[in-house]
């Protein structure tokens, strides 16, 4: 498939989606959002891909939404164009999605990172929700996912008063899994993704679904999801292979079945 705003590649069992609007600091317009989610869905269906990375460049992951595209929009036009609804497509991706972030991740860029399952950040990464400075608020999950991750008070400061987090602060507050040097940050993210892609594929998908339920349901409902995902794994070939490999003290050979 040919894209105009992103680049894609595969390294071993890792699919990579690179935002590629450097002239706009990778700001999300509708065209790029559509291509990103199309690429994610292609990788999600590819049996040879076990984990997916979304990245930008060293200067910017994504500096928000394309303000020029939205500036003259009316309420009705925003609803008709589904500027926000399109973001929900990421919830349908069953494989782990890792954000590899260097430089700015602001507004929609930050919201995209919040939607990912894990985050590898370079030492230069900065995260923020500056929508308040242009007279709006985050509309793609920035108020909800951020508050669930960092707590009400810090989320309020970021959303209402444009506080930006450094990579170190983001890790402290639970937004980032690991921080790596700017040089080679994508390679570090790929190595991380390769580890995840080496796990039992069905179990990984079930685990992602169960952990996400912890953020979207009550404890009772979440425990029900966990049990619902746990028991069926004993009907898979990978469960038998994994436990037998453990007993025999060897590496398992996953089949994704």
């Amino acid at each position: 498939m040919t894209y105009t705003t992103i680049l894609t590649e595969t390294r071993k069992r890792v699919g990579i989606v690179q935002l590629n609007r450097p002239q706009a600091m990778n700001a999300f317009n509708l065209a790029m959002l559509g291509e990103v989610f199309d690429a994610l869905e292609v990788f999600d269906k590819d049996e040879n891909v076990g984990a997916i990375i979304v990245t930008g460049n060293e200067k910017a992951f994504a500096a928000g939404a394309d303000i020029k595209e939205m500036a003259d929009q009316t309420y009705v036009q925003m609803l008709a164009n589904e500027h926000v609804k399109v973001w929900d497509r990421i919830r349908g991706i069953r494989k782990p999605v890792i954000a590899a972030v260097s430089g700015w991740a602001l507004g929609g860029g930050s919201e995209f990172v919040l939607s990912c399952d894990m985050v590898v950040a370079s030492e230069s990464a900065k995260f923020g929700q500056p929508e308040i400075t242009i007279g709006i608020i985050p509309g793609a999950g920035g108020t909800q996912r951020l508050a669930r991750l960092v707590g009400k008070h810090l989320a309020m400061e970021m959303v209402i008063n444009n506080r930006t987090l450094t990579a170190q602060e983001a890790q402290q507050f639970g937004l980032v899994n690991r921080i790596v040097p700017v040089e080679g940050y994508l390679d570090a993210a790929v190595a991380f993704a390769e580890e995840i892609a080496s796990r039992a594929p069905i179990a990984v998908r079930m685990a992602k679904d169960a952990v996400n339920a912890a953020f979207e349901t009550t404890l009772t409902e979440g425990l029900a999801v966990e049990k619902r995902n746990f028991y069926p794994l004993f009907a898979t070939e990978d469960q038998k292979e994994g436990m037998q490999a453990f007993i025999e003290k060897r590496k398992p050979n996953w089949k994704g079945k």
Side-chain angles (χ1 to χ4, degrees):
M1 188 177 295
T2 301
Y3 300 109
T4 60
T5 64
I6 64 172
L7 302 172
T8 61
E9 64 172 301
T10 303
R11 300 188 193 178
K12 296 183 179 179
R13 285 181 49 77
V14 178
I16 302 173
V17 179
Q18 183 176 12
L19 311 181
N20 189 38
R21 295 187 72 218
Q23 74 282 4
M25 292 187 69
N26 292 332
F28 283 107
N29 59 13
L30 285 176
M32 187 161 80
L33 279 172
E35 291 190 346
V36 167
F37 291 125
D38 285 349
L40 289 175
E41 289 163 2
V42 169
F43 281 138
D44 200 33
K45 295 173 183 176
D46 189 341
E47 294 182 357
N48 296 313
V49 171
I52 308 168
I53 290 174
V54 180
T55 191
N57 55 50
E58 289 187 1
K59 294 182 178 180
F61 176 82
D66 192 326
I67 305 304
K68 292 180 181 179
E69 188 177 68
M70 294 192 298
D72 295 326
Q73 295 287 298
T74 66
Y75 167 58
V76 173
Q77 288 171 326
M78 288 293 286
L79 282 176
N81 292 333
E82 296 187 332
H83 274 263
V84 172
K85 187 177 180 181
V86 67
W87 291 77
D88 291 339
R89 289 174 66 182
I90 197 169
R91 298 178 68 186
I93 305 301
R94 301 184 65 194
K95 294 174 182 175
V97 180
I98 300 166
V101 182
S102 187
W104 297 103
L106 301 176
S110 175
E111 287 175 304
F112 192 96
V113 172
L114 292 171
S115 300
C116 292
D117 302 305
M118 287 160 279
V119 182
V120 174
S122 84
E123 294 169 331
S124 72
K126 293 184 179 180
F127 305 84
Q129 300 291 159
E131 289 88 345
I132 199 74
T133 65
I134 56 172
I136 59 172
I137 68 171
T143 64
Q144 300 303 300
R145 292 189 179 94
L146 187 63
R148 282 165 169 76
L149 284 169
V150 306
K152 172 185 173 180
H153 294 167
L154 181 57
M156 282 285 191
E157 185 178 0
M158 293 179 69
V159 172
I160 292 177
N161 203 38
N162 191 27
R163 175 172 173 179
T164 300
L165 299 184
T166 65
Q168 292 73 22
E169 289 173 324
Q171 186 177 48
Q172 175 187 345
F173 292 114
L175 289 179
V176 167
N177 291 77
R178 56 188 66 181
I179 300 172
V180 297
V182 175
E183 301 79 9
Y185 82 96
L186 181 56
D187 291 336
V190 170
F192 183 36
E194 285 177 351
E195 291 179 25
I196 295 164
S198 72
R199 311 299 180 188
I202 300 174
V204 168
R205 292 197 296 270
M206 292 292 203
K208 170 175 173 170
D209 181 61
V211 172
N212 278 335
F215 288 87
E216 300 174 356
T217 65
T218 64
L219 177 59
T220 298
E221 292 167 333
L223 289 171
V225 172
E226 184 179 82
K227 290 183 177 64
R228 184 191 71 199
N229 289 7
F230 172 74
Y231 290 121
L233 291 171
F234 285 80
T236 66
E237 293 181 23
D238 280 351
Q239 174 267 325
K240 301 297 185 290
E241 167 63 13
M243 292 191 174
Q244 193 60 38
F246 177 83
I247 293 169
E248 297 173 1
K249 298 181 179 179
R250 60 174 174 81
K251 292 184 66 174
N253 180 25
W254 308 122
K255 296 181 180 179
K257 297 180 180 180

